[in-house]
Structure formats: C-alpha cells, structure tokens
Amino acid sequence: MADLSNLYRQIIMDHYKNPRNKGLTNDLSYVKCHIKNPSCGDAIDIESKVIDGKVVDVRQDGVGCSICCASASIMSETVIGLSVEDATNLIENYLKMVSNDETYDHTVDFGELGVFEGIKDFPARVRCASIASKAFLNTLKKEN
Ligand code: ZN
C-alpha cells in the first residue's frame, strides 16, 4: 500500500480496525456466499437481504489482509439502501476499476470504495480488493 495516498490508507485502516456490518446473521431471509483467495489467505462470507428490489442489509465476516477486510466493510456500507440494479451496476464497475479495465463507467459515484482505485497498480492485491464484492454479486444473482 506504499503508493496509496495517506488519506486512502487511513480510511482502509479505519475499516480494517473497526469493521462495519461484521458478523453473520445466519438468518434464512439472507442469501449467503463464501469466497476464498488462496494466494493471500483471505476468506470472506457475505450475506445480503433484498426486499422489494432493494438491498436492505449486507453482513460480512471472515479473515484476511487489511485490503480484503476493509473492502468488505466499505462495500457493505456502500450498497446498503441501493436498489439491486444500482448496487449491481456499482459493484460491476468497481470490479472493472480495480482490475485496471478502463472501460468502467467513470460517472459512477463509488463513495469510499473509490479508495481502492490505486489497487490496479498492484496486480497481486486486486483479488484482495475484489472477493467481497464478487461474493456480494453472487448473493444478488442467487436472490433473483
Ligand atoms: Zn488479501
């Protein structure tokens, strides 16, 4: 993370130390997905709950590096309250942005997830910043 700006590093460390929406409900009204990143030892579970086409709750749990855990925390905060359509669009574009796919929609407001833009310069960490968001997308697909 040496080349990420100080502000971005602070946001990432804040979410790593004080994770939001942490801990699973194991409630049947949530859809769950588990994803591992063997290269880094990251393992994340995501639960999402959708009511009337809106993401009303997201829970995250797991172990991993600061990038992985912070991205799960920030992602959960970012998508709660969005429609399934907006959340899907935001996360699909986020995944393109961090994997250095310049075709992502630059008009999307990524909120705090924007702190991970610099990850594209660290190919070994792209998966760390992606797995929680991929798991979340999977829960939405199962939901529909
Ligand atoms: Zn990692």
Side-chain angles (χ1 to χ4, degrees):
M1 290 205 294
D3 289 349
L4 294 181
S5 79
N6 254 336
L7 171 67
Y8 285 9
R9 234 184 350 245
Q10 276 172 24
I11 293 172
I12 289 169
M13 289 316 289
D14 174 45
H15 278 269
Y16 181 55
K17 288 179 182 157
N18 306 294
R20 323 299 202 268
N21 304 304
K22 175 120 178 162
L24 302 179
T25 67
N26 291 309
D27 188 291
L28 290 177
S29 65
Y30 285 72
V31 178
K32 190 170 166 182
C33 180
H34 176 81
I35 296 194
K36 277 187 203 161
N37 175 17
S39 67
C40 187
D42 303 325
I44 289 284
D45 282 294
I46 297 290
E47 286 181 335
S48 75
K49 182 172 183 166
V50 169
I51 296 176
D52 293 336
K54 195 171 161 185
V55 180
V56 295
D57 199 14
V58 176
R59 306 291 306 177
Q60 51 93 8
D61 204 2
V63 292
C65 64
S66 56
I67 302 268
C68 176
C69 293
S71 71
S73 172
I74 295 174
M75 182 277 296
S76 68
E77 271 200 331
T78 306
V79 296
I80 290 173
L82 297 182
S83 68
V84 169
E85 196 184 347
D86 287 348
T88 302
N89 183 53
L90 192 154
I91 296 302
E92 282 178 346
N93 279 292
Y94 166 77
L95 290 171
K96 281 186 182 177
M97 177 178 76
V98 295
S99 56
N100 207 13
D101 177 348
E102 276 299 312
T103 66
Y104 76 86
D105 181 352
H106 287 62
T107 67
V108 170
D109 177 6
F110 292 105
E112 281 198 330
L113 274 178
V115 301
F116 295 105
E117 193 196 349
I119 288 293
K120 65 186 179 200
D121 298 325
F122 303 87
R125 311 306 297 278
V126 168
R127 229 179 125 65
C128 301
S130 302
I131 59 170
S133 292
K134 282 183 181 161
F136 170 65
L137 276 186
N138 284 346
T139 67
L140 291 185
K141 282 175 195 152
K142 285 190 210 169
E143 208 124 22
N144 289 323

